[in-house]
């Protein structure tokens, strides 16, 4: 981050604040501004929807309790997938997957990494195509939050809720519905959003009085989306987010 000439950055791990908390300890006086964040997994019509929470309070009890319970469920899901893999003759030690996941709840990418490390597969994509992708023999459905609950958790922690990468899958089709649930903004700048989609979502945000955000969606994995700083997001959008948040906290409509 220090080498990217950024004015600000956010760490939005899935269902986890530990990455943000660790980074906060490492900050120096002249470092880019660190924005607290989280990415919550929500479900809608069998669609995996991600909702970003920015400028949240990391010590909010309601949010932290919900994240703890959610991580437990995710880890149980991971164990079930490992059992299925073992039944197929592919034995992956649970401790290895935990080590790869680190502070994060176990997700399919961690299992894919474990398969790759143990040379059970030749490349990362094979894990999803052969074993843990939807409709594959070791796949276990993910238990998601209701979108309304995800937005409520973010708001309860004092933050603002954004629909992540609306151009991926059918996420963008739910924008109007989520506005009624309290959605504050949409992620416009994303590696999977080309210039056409960016223009569409920028116009949509303006027409619907939604805030705008963006980021690299960096996953610390070679070949996965893009590198930190790859998306040029004007600082004015962060300023607008802060202004909107201050208004909400003052209770001004």
């Amino acid at each position: 981050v220090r080498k990217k000439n950024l004015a600000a950055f956010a760490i939005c791990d899935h269902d986890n604040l530990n990455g943000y908390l660790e980074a906060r300890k490492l900050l120096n006086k002249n470092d880019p501004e660190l924005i607290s964040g989280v990415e919550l997994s929500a479900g809608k019509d069998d669609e995996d929807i991600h909702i970003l929470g920015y400028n949240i309070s990391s010590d909010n009890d309601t949010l932290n309790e919900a994240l703890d319970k959610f991580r437990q469920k995710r880890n149980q899901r991971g164990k079930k997938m490992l059992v299925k893999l073992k039944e197929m003759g592919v034995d992956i030690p649970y401790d290895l997957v935990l080590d790869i996941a680190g502070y994060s709840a176990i997700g399919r990418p961690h299992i894919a990494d474990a398969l790759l490390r143990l040379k059970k597969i030749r490349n990362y994509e094979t894990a999803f195509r052969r074993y843990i992708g939807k409709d594959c023999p070791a796949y276990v459905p993910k238990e998601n939050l209701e979108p309304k609950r995800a937005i409520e958790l973010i708001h309860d922690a004092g933050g603002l809720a954004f629909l992540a990468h609306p151009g991926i899958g059918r996420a963008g089709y739910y924008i109007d519905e989520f506005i009624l649930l309290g959605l504050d903004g949409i992620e416009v700048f994303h590696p999977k959003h080309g210039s056409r989609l960016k223009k569409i979502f920028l116009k949509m945000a303006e027409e619907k009085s939604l805030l705008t955000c963006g980021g690299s969606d960096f996953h610390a994995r070679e070949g996965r989306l893009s590198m930190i700083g790859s998306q040029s997001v004007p600082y004015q959008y962060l300023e607008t987010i802060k202004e909107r948040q201050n208004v909400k906290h003052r209770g001004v409509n």
Side-chain angles (χ1 to χ4, degrees), residues 10 12 14 35-42 49-56 147 150-155 158-166 171-172 174-175 178-179 181-189 193 201-202 205 209-215 233 236-245 248:
C12 297
H14 277 276
I35 306 300
S36 59
V38 69
E39 188 166 4
L40 299 179
S41 300
I49 304 292
H50 299 162
I51 298 178
L52 296 161
Y54 283 117
N55 267 353
I56 56 176
I151 293 171
E152 286 175 347
L153 285 170
I154 291 167
H155 286 169
L160 297 176
F162 292 73
L163 179 63
H165 40 67
Y174 301 104
I175 290 176
F178 289 177
I179 289 174
L181 300 179
L183 188 73
D184 299 292
I186 55 176
E187 184 178 38
V188 171
F189 300 88
H193 290 177
F201 289 127
L202 279 172
S209 298
L210 292 169
L211 295 167
T212 299
C213 73
V233 184
Q236 69 188 63
Y237 292 126
L238 177 56
E239 292 178 328
T240 304
I241 288 171
K242 291 179 178 179
E243 290 170 3
R244 178 77 64 86
Q245 193 168 28
K248 289 188 72 170

Side-chain angles (χ1 to χ4, degrees), residues 91-236:
D91 193 4
I92 306 294
Y94 181 62
D95 287 345
L96 173 60
V97 179
L98 278 179
D99 181 63
I100 292 171
Y103 289 119
S104 302
I106 292 175
R108 287 185 295 165
H110 305 127
I111 294 175
D113 281 345
L115 286 164
L116 197 57
R117 284 194 191 185
L118 295 175
K119 298 182 180 180
K120 304 287 186 180
I121 53 176
R122 290 186 177 181
N123 56 64
Y124 182 80
E125 290 73 21
T126 301
F128 291 86
R129 188 172 62 251
R130 183 182 300 172
Y131 297 116
I132 56 177
K134 285 187 177 180
D135 300 322
C136 288
Y139 175 75
V140 175
K142 182 169 63 174
E143 185 173 341
N144 289 322
L145 292 166
E146 289 289 331
K148 180 180 179 180
R149 181 57 178 155
I151 293 171
E152 286 175 347
L153 285 170
I154 291 167
H155 286 169
D156 189 72
L160 297 176
F162 292 73
L163 179 63
H165 40 67
I168 297 179
R170 291 179 51 83
Y173 289 89
Y174 301 104
I175 290 176
D176 286 338
E177 179 181 342
F178 289 177
I179 289 174
L180 298 177
L181 300 179
L183 188 73
D184 299 292
I186 55 176
E187 184 178 38
V188 171
F189 300 88
H190 186 274
K192 291 292 183 72
H193 290 177
S195 58
R196 175 178 165 275
L197 278 180
K198 288 176 183 176
K199 289 179 182 178
I200 289 173
F201 289 127
L202 279 172
K203 182 179 180 181
M204 184 181 297
E206 182 179 359
E207 292 175 347
K208 299 179 184 295
S209 298
L210 292 169
L211 295 167
T212 299
C213 73
S216 63
D217 208 357
F218 177 63
H219 279 63
R221 186 180 298 112
E222 186 176 352
R224 170 73 174 179
L225 296 178
S226 63
M227 299 301 292
I228 293 173
S230 64
Q231 301 300 302
S232 181
V233 184
Y235 189 79
Q236 69 188 63

Side-chain angles (χ1 to χ4, degrees), residues 50-70:
H50 299 162
I51 298 178
L52 296 161
Y54 283 117
N55 267 353
I56 56 176
S57 172
S58 59
D59 58 2
N60 179 269
D61 290 339
T62 303
L63 176 61
N64 281 305
E65 287 173 8
L67 293 181
D68 285 342
K69 291 178 181 178
F70 207 62

